[in-house]
Amino acid sequence: MDVWTLSCNAYCCIQCNAVRFSVIQCNVNVQATQSEGRAVERAAAWCSMIGVPYFRFSPQLSEDVALDCKDDATLINMLWETRCYITDHVDHLVQLVSLLGP
């Protein structure tokens, strides 16, 4: 093989690995931020199996909100939906506080 072919193969391998890493990173981000689904159910089942209380506070928002969102109406709506979620799940918060308290 000549140098050109070797360098092209090396470049292709680097590109393929970069794409694979990007896909894995995307999957981790999606699973870590899910508020429901298999990853959440699996975590709850594992905690139950070892006798550890499981809490996940993730309000279901009416729209996806980007981390860099600056739109006031979107942010206010997100805050309102989160406040409603907290009000609906106050019993879980009280239970968590009792576990963490002195």
Side-chain angles (χ1 to χ4, degrees), residues 34-56:
Q34 283 182 338
S35 58
E36 58 185 19
R38 291 177 59 193
V40 176
E41 292 169 1
R42 197 170 21 242
W46 183 67
C47 287
S48 175
M49 180 181 69
I50 62 173
V52 173
Y54 177 81
F55 297 95
R56 185 167 182 108

Side-chain angles (χ1 to χ4, degrees), residues 2 20 23-24 32 37 40 61 69 72 78 82 90 92-93:
D2 63 352
R20 287 185 190 127
V23 169
I24 290 170
V40 176
L61 301 178
C69 178
D72 287 341
M78 180 184 69
T82 302
V90 71
H92 295 293
L93 288 167

Side-chain angles (χ1 to χ4, degrees), residues 82-99:
T82 302
R83 179 66 181 151
C84 292
Y85 177 87
I86 290 171
T87 302
D88 290 344
H89 294 87
V90 71
D91 54 331
H92 295 293
L93 288 167
V94 169
Q95 185 181 7
L96 178 61
V97 167
S98 70
L99 290 170

Side-chain angles (χ1 to χ4, degrees), residues 6 14 27 30 36-37 39 49 55 63 65 67 74 79 84 99 102:
L6 287 174
I14 291 170
N27 286 338
V30 167
E36 58 185 19
M49 180 181 69
F55 297 95
E63 61 182 302
V65 180
L67 291 176
T74 301
L79 288 170
C84 292
L99 290 170

